[in-house]
Amino acid sequence: MLLCDFHIHTKFSDGSVQLKKVIDLFGQAGFDVIAITDHVVNGDNSLGKLAHRLKLSITAKNFDEYISSIKYEADRAWQKYEMLVIQGVEITKNYISPEKSAHILILDIKNFISPCMSYEQIFLEAKQQNSLIVACHPHSMSSFNRDTLFLWNNRDKYAKYIDAWEIANGDDLFSVVSSKRYPYIANSDFHRMRHLYSWKTLLNCEKNIEAVKNCIRHNKGVAITFFRG
Ligand code: ZN
Ligand code: ZN
């Protein structure tokens, strides 16, 4: 099965490791498929404005540069490690209230998507780009991170748009996702080196982007594992 991690941050947003180093870290650890998913943060409140001031967000301005950097590294990763690298973002809607906040992975994104749009607009735009939509850390987390509960609390309305839910993120497991029988994947939410050792996804499919997206969408041949190297 393919060893995969679909949720990885770099210095393009709030990660502490440069993209090139991230690629070599995962390549040398034997991964088959990874996605680079730096934050695109909403700028429509004080939390978001601060993130933008600190340059912790991809913007419409540097999106093309971000994507071409990933493409360059994806070529190198394939030649050196036979590792597939997917271009993605984490749409980051942060509000003071955890009940209003949500983070969404858009995998195989082609064009910039504004996090200030409504959820419906974001999901429809992602579908038009034939991207994969993943609800991140949908329930209470053990770390000091702010919880992001909006999508879970409104799942009756939004589940139809979501291709998969993170059943695990970092060290955390979200049993609510399994109890609802929702499609799932597991990811590191990599920000620093030690996050390499965390929950991962195993996929039983071919190593190309369309096969990977289909496998997750149909959610057959999917397993999770705690990676310890
Ligand atoms: Zn997040
Ligand atoms: Zn993240």
Side-chain angles (χ1 to χ4, degrees):
M1 293 180 91
L2 303 178
L3 177 60
C4 312
D5 191 338
F6 299 103
H7 190 161
I8 297 170
H9 299 279
T10 74
K11 282 196 170 176
F12 272 100
S13 62
D14 62 350
S16 68
V17 185
Q18 274 184 344
L19 173 61
K20 184 177 189 297
K21 276 196 176 170
V22 167
I23 298 296
D24 288 325
L25 180 71
F26 281 83
Q28 284 161 15
F31 279 74
D32 295 292
V33 186
I34 64 168
I36 304 299
T37 56
D38 275 299
H39 292 282
V40 182
V41 184
N42 63 317
D44 55 1
N45 63 15
S46 52
L47 275 178
K49 285 194 176 82
L50 181 65
H52 279 267
R53 215 172 302 138
L54 297 173
K55 298 205 185 313
L56 301 178
S57 174
I58 302 289
T59 63
K61 267 189 183 162
N62 72 353
F63 179 78
D64 288 348
E65 179 204 337
Y66 168 67
I67 292 295
S68 36
S69 302
I70 298 175
K71 282 193 166 134
Y72 179 86
E73 284 300 321
D75 279 349
R76 193 175 69 83
W78 187 256
Q79 282 167 32
K80 194 164 183 190
Y81 304 111
E82 276 189 42
M83 180 173 73
L84 181 68
V85 177
I86 299 170
Q87 56 199 51
V89 295
E90 181 174 14
I91 296 284
T92 302
K93 278 177 165 295
N94 282 342
Y95 298 94
I96 303 291
S97 160
E99 273 80 24
K100 273 192 80 180
S101 302
H103 292 187
I104 306 152
L105 299 180
I106 310 287
L107 303 180
D108 196 24
I109 188 172
K110 281 92 177 174
N111 303 307
F112 184 75
I113 296 178
S114 168
C116 295
M117 296 194 296
S118 72
Y119 286 97
E120 282 92 345
Q121 284 174 313
I122 290 169
F123 293 143
L124 291 175
E125 178 60 37
K127 297 259 180 229
Q128 274 182 1
Q129 297 187 26
N130 191 24
S131 307
L132 199 82
I133 299 167
V134 180
C136 303
H137 38 75
H139 215 249
S140 298
M141 289 181 279
S142 59
S143 67
F144 293 113
N145 283 332
R146 289 172 180 284
D147 286 339
T148 48
L149 305 174
F150 180 84
L151 289 174
W152 188 259
N153 290 348
N154 295 279
R155 59 192 177 277
D156 290 344
K157 186 171 174 192
Y158 293 111
K160 65 180 176 196
Y161 298 107
I162 294 168
D163 294 304
W165 300 71
E166 276 187 345
I167 200 166
N169 172 294
D171 295 324
D172 285 324
L173 278 164
F174 304 109
S175 58
V176 289
V177 173
S178 39
S179 69
K180 276 281 172 191
R181 305 290 188 265
Y182 281 158
Y184 64 87
I185 56 174
N187 294 320
S188 66
D189 207 348
F190 180 96
H191 283 81
R192 52 200 95 255
M193 299 295 258
R194 65 182 164 83
H195 295 155
L196 182 65
Y197 308 108
S198 55
W199 286 103
K200 310 293 182 202
T201 304
L202 297 169
L203 295 183
N204 186 9
C205 69
E206 285 183 37
K207 202 190 292 188
N208 65 66
I209 181 67
E210 293 308 321
V212 165
K213 287 192 293 185
N214 280 335
C215 187
I216 293 172
R217 283 191 183 117
H218 297 136
N219 228 237
K220 291 203 172 115
V222 180
I224 67 172
T225 185
F226 195 86
F227 181 75
R228 293 193 169 98

